[in-house]
Amino acid sequence: MKFLIKNVKLTDHRGSKISDLLIEDEIIKKIGKDLSAYEDSMVIDGTGKVLMPSFVDLHVHFRDPGYTYKEDIESGSRAALKGGYTICYAMANTKPVCDNMEIYNYIREKSKDLDLIDLYQNIAVTKNLSGKELTDFESFGDDVKFISDDGRGILSNHVMNQACLEAKKHNIGIMVHGEDPEISPYDYRLAEDIITLRDSYLSKITGAKIHFSHVSTRGSVEIIRDYKAQGANITCETTPHHIYLAGEDFRVNPPIREKADNEALIQGLKDGTIDCISTDHAPHSKEDKEKGAPGMVGLETAFATSYTALVDSGNLSLEKLSQVMAYNPAKILGLDHGEIKEGARADLVLVDCEEEYIVSQADIVSKSKNSPFIGRKLKGKVLMTFRKGRLMYGGKN
């Protein structure tokens, strides 16, 4: 099917302009001021709306295999599409742990069969997330881009150093969960900062590619800024909830910090210290959440949360938001995505930046509803998501 989106504001990291855009045969076929000759397509009036490259999330938990009562690949993918995402990277803390190619291939093939989003998958750094014995790097397929012990992290300096050396040898990145669990019970801030410092240094001396997940403290931002200036091969993300929330007790890991941390994270996004925004989408059942499970669902509210906290507040431009939600994370994955140009794959999201709405539990399509944003008013709504030229969310699909 062909789609003609008329009179829409096209925005990516390079700038914005009002134009028409034609989608045909999975790609952006044509961009121009007046494409009325193509009105045999399905015409969408984009007046007052913004069309952006679809978002890329480097940090999601889809709970498959093993915890599919919380989420599965299909429900997680549909939540992603509702949030404007067409590319996601899933963590390895499944059951059994994704620490081998058999489980990795199961997840990848299931996602390909569904054909809803492009789902990439982490393999654990250590067997069964033990933090002790490295997984078999030699067995990894060519499409394995990152490994991670997210959820626990690696306490041993020796094991992390060996992991960096192996990752460098095999040209694989490591996503770091920055936490020393021995320190967390009495100083959660130091627990993050000390691992950020250690792994920044290890990246510098080994050359390993390190990506810091869910950075949340001003101290970690300062460390990463310093080591980037020294040439360390590091990138990092923060989350919408760590930008938006301050001083609240909704349980996530790392925890919600203070206003000064919000300000440091925003400054880090402004100056490029923080490369991207990822959700750390972590679904839990009501019962598990009541028992203290850390985490929240975030895919469906990520754009509105980020837009409200960053763009509507005057902290970032919409173009910069596109950069940190689409272009930069795609670049970290080595993907050609994040720019609206003729010939590019038509992975796009249509948003209304002026629409305000109250987040409702009934509107969440994830299996889990653990969100601190339920009942809050946000600004900026995803209207449609296109992937490979197909309308995957919104309209009459």
Side-chain angles (χ1 to χ4, degrees):
M1 178 178 284
K2 294 190 293 184
F3 295 92
L4 177 60
I5 307 174
K6 293 182 66 63
N7 196 38
V8 69
K9 181 179 179 180
L10 305 180
T11 295
D12 64 20
H13 72 103
R14 301 167 301 171
S16 297
K17 64 179 180 180
I18 304 295
S19 186
D20 295 351
L21 181 142
L22 178 68
I23 298 171
E24 183 180 359
D25 297 330
E26 299 190 2
I27 67 169
I28 299 172
K29 192 75 171 180
K30 198 168 183 62
I31 298 171
K33 284 289 188 181
D34 184 6
L35 302 185
S36 56
Y38 299 95
E39 288 187 350
D40 58 330
S41 313
M42 177 179 285
V43 177
I44 298 168
D45 183 6
T47 304
K49 309 299 189 294
V50 179
L51 191 68
M52 308 169 72
S54 62
F55 309 132
V56 179
D57 196 335
L58 296 184
H59 199 118
V60 301
H61 300 265
F62 281 177
R63 308 302 192 197
D64 191 352
Y67 301 104
T68 53
Y69 66 95
K70 303 185 184 199
E71 194 80 284
D72 58 40
I73 294 171
E74 180 173 0
S75 64
S77 297
R78 294 194 183 280
L81 290 168
K82 185 177 179 185
Y85 289 88
T86 62
I87 301 169
C88 291
Y89 210 104
M91 299 299 109
N93 57 342
T94 51
K95 186 179 181 181
V97 171
C98 184
D99 59 6
N100 59 73
M101 288 304 294
E102 181 180 358
I103 299 170
Y104 175 89
N105 288 331
Y106 157 79
I107 295 167
R108 289 277 281 159
E109 291 304 315
K110 188 170 183 179
S111 178
K112 288 177 182 177
D113 288 344
L114 286 167
D115 199 26
L116 294 171
I117 66 170
D118 292 335
L119 181 64
Y120 294 88
Q121 176 63 42
N122 256 321
I123 294 181
V125 180
T126 63
K127 293 181 180 179
N128 202 36
L129 299 175
S130 65
K132 298 177 181 179
E133 183 181 359
L134 295 182
T135 48
D136 183 6
F137 284 60
E138 296 289 345
S139 70
F140 296 167
D142 292 339
D143 62 343
V144 176
K145 298 177 181 293
F146 281 93
I147 54 177
S148 179
D149 272 14
D150 183 70
R152 297 186 185 180
I154 297 172
L155 182 57
S156 167
N157 295 331
H158 167 68
V159 172
M160 189 60 187
N161 183 52
Q162 293 303 115
C164 286
L165 293 171
E166 286 295 306
K168 171 66 174 176
K169 176 183 173 182
H170 291 88
N171 194 29
I172 296 169
I174 302 177
M175 291 185 173
V176 169
H177 175 96
E179 178 186 0
D180 182 331
E182 293 182 346
I183 296 176
S184 297
Y186 63 89
D187 193 333
Y188 227 142
R189 180 180 297 276
L190 177 60
E192 177 175 335
D193 292 350
I194 200 165
I195 295 298
T196 304
L197 180 60
R198 180 199 70 178
D199 291 352
S200 294
Y201 180 73
L202 285 174
S203 173
K204 180 184 174 183
I205 65 170
T206 65
K209 180 167 59 177
I210 297 287
H211 177 80
F212 290 100
S213 299
H214 43 57
V215 171
S216 69
T217 69
R218 54 190 181 273
S220 287
V221 175
E222 291 169 2
I223 292 164
I224 292 166
R225 182 180 289 116
D226 181 40
Y227 272 87
K228 279 190 169 187
Q230 295 180 47
N233 189 12
I234 56 178
T235 55
C236 69
E237 68 192 41
T238 191
T239 74
H241 52 276
H242 283 111
I243 297 166
Y244 187 101
L245 300 173
E248 301 195 20
D249 61 2
F250 190 91
R251 187 159 188 246
V252 290
N253 188 12
I256 302 302
R257 304 295 187 177
E258 304 302 324
K259 188 67 177 175
D261 298 294
N262 297 147
E263 293 168 355
L265 294 172
I266 291 170
Q267 182 56 43
L269 287 165
K270 285 181 177 180
D271 65 25
T273 300
I274 298 176
D275 300 272
C276 58
I277 294 173
S278 302
T279 66
D280 195 5
H281 177 82
H284 290 296
S285 67
K286 182 180 179 182
E287 293 75 19
D288 288 345
K289 194 64 184 169
E290 288 174 349
K291 292 176 184 176
M296 57 166 280
V297 292
L299 283 163
E300 297 171 59
T301 55
F303 174 72
T305 305
S306 301
Y307 182 85
T308 303
L310 297 172
V311 181
D312 193 52
S313 64
N315 285 303
L316 258 64
S317 67
L318 187 60
E319 292 80 5
K320 182 66 173 182
L321 184 61
S322 179
Q323 181 178 12
V324 298
M325 292 188 72
Y327 182 77
N328 282 359
K331 188 175 180 181
I332 289 168
L333 290 180
L335 303 177
D336 182 15
H337 174 77
E339 294 181 344
I340 297 181
K341 56 189 179 183
E342 292 182 359
R345 197 174 96 169
D347 281 24
L348 301 162
V349 57
L350 183 69
V351 299
D352 185 340
C353 292
E354 297 303 313
E355 183 171 348
E356 294 183 326
Y357 70 101
I358 295 174
V359 179
S360 166
Q361 179 172 311
D363 291 336
I364 295 175
V365 302
S366 168
K367 282 187 178 182
S368 297
K369 316 299 177 186
N370 52 309
S371 170
F373 293 104
I374 292 172
R376 294 180 192 257
K377 181 185 287 186
L378 299 175
K379 189 173 184 180
K381 192 161 190 177
V382 172
L383 303 176
M384 296 180 181
T385 304
F386 297 86
R387 174 177 175 262
K388 294 195 292 189
R390 293 182 295 154
L391 180 59
M392 302 299 292
Y393 169 77
K396 297 180 180 179
N397 66 312

